[in-house]
DNA sequence: TATTGTTATACTCTATAACTATA
DNA sequence: TATAGTTATAGAGTATAACAATA
């Protein structure tokens, strides 16, 4: 596409068309993520939690990251803990707080999931420098905007 | 960013950094979508189905679009039908097949959801022509690649 | 009193398996 | 016999409300 001789002038997509494309791409990405997680016996939420636990997080902190009620985190961590992928640790200075943290088995599980997320990696690895810079800027803007309360 | 005087040379992100950014952006997008749908009393799946039903689809066809088992579609359409947003219609030439289609109330419901998806629209509406063309190309490649079985 | 985490409950989405009506 | 849709069942994620332990 970069060096076709006599390209048709590429049509400029409208914001509406871009939003539809973005929806399709993000859906495909999530399905890829869920499929890979599933191949490793994890739901997408479980895989996401393991990724978030690169550092220990309190149950409350995890709920904030997941944007869900704190009561849900109990069950999610219960299931991961029963499989030995995560453990709870009580905060020594405030015994109300419990930190969830990955075990070594959890480290290994999520390492394998990430290694298998090849479909997206393949596309992104093919990008040239200019495209990478542009895409990173755009994704940061999208993320920043979407993080605001709409 | 297009006309800053003496910009720092922008760092070229690695494929790994791009994938993390893409994960963050898609997560933010889905949360935006789910939040807007929720404000209109719909789950994200229900809103997604209403969008897919821009044309009538058989229960089977809907399951393919959703990438889920056909047995799930029964319940999803049941709930939408009980709220008057969708109706079932039997195919006259093959009475095994039922088509789900939006009612006028369904048209109106999804129209309102889309109108409220402003956070993403705002970012995309600000893009220049070159950025739009580049982004559309990239998203199409991502979608096409991710649709292949990984 | 306020906060952290948990339990109880109910709903939605999901997959699997078995069933029916139709082709 | 094959296909389309459904039902039954079970597991996971979600929100709300009420609760115990701790601050």
């Amino acid at each position: 596409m970069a060096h076709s001789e006599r390209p048709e002038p590429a049509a400029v997509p409208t914001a509406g068309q871009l939003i539809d494309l973005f929806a399709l791409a993000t859906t495909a990405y999530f399905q890829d993520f869920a499929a890979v997680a599933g191949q490793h016996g994890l739901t997408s939420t479980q895989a996401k939690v393991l990724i978030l636990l690169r550092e220990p997080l309190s149950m409350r902190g995890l709920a904030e990251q997941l944007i869900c009620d704190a009561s849900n985190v109990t069950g999610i961590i219960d299931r991961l803990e029963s499989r030995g992928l995560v453990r709870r640790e009580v905060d020594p200075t405030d015994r109300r707080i419990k930190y969830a943290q990955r075990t070594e088995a959890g480290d290994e599980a999520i390492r394998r999931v990430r290694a298998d997320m090849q479909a997206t990696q393949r596309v992104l690895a093919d990008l040239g420098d200019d495209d990478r810079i542009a895409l990173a800027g755009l994704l940061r803007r999208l993320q920043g905007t979407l993080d605001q309360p709409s």
Side-chain angles (χ1 to χ4, degrees), chain A:
Chain A
M1 194 180 273
H3 45 65
S4 54
E5 58 284 24
R6 207 158 231 301
E8 285 190 4
V12 177
T14 65
Q17 288 168 330
L18 282 178
I19 220 179
D20 286 347
L21 272 174
F22 198 72
L24 289 171
T26 57
T27 298
Y29 171 80
F30 264 129
Q31 283 164 349
D32 186 42
F33 181 67
V36 170
Q39 286 162 12
H40 293 270
L42 298 169
T43 66
S44 51
T45 298
Q46 288 167 344
K48 185 175 175 183
V49 165
L50 288 179
I51 288 173
L52 289 173
L53 290 181
R54 71 172 65 85
E55 308 245 63
L57 287 175
S58 69
M59 307 301 273
R60 216 91 193 171
L62 212 33
E64 275 169 32
Q65 295 285 322
L66 294 171
I67 313 200
C68 76
D69 191 88
S71 64
N72 301 315
V73 177
T74 300
I76 295 170
I77 295 299
D78 280 351
R79 288 181 281 275
L80 286 170
E81 194 170 33
S82 73
R83 291 168 58 181
L85 301 177
V86 156
R87 66 167 167 271
R88 286 172 165 95
E89 199 117 337
V90 177
D91 185 317
T93 73
D94 182 342
R95 284 164 46 206
R96 291 174 303 180
I97 299 176
K98 291 179 191 168
Y99 290 103
Q101 53 193 279
R102 284 200 305 237
T103 61
E104 283 187 21
D107 291 342
E108 180 59 16
I110 201 58
R111 195 198 59 71
R112 284 193 295 258
V113 168
R114 300 193 82 139
D116 278 2
M117 290 283 299
Q118 295 299 349
T120 307
Q121 300 241 20
R122 240 177 286 136
V123 174
L124 298 179
D126 282 350
L127 292 179
D129 284 358
D130 287 351
D131 282 345
R132 288 187 186 205
I133 292 168
L135 178 61
L138 179 71
L139 292 176
R140 285 201 193 91
R141 286 164 62 197
L142 275 169
Q143 191 211 341
T145 302
L146 293 173
D147 278 349
Q148 319 294 336
S150 75

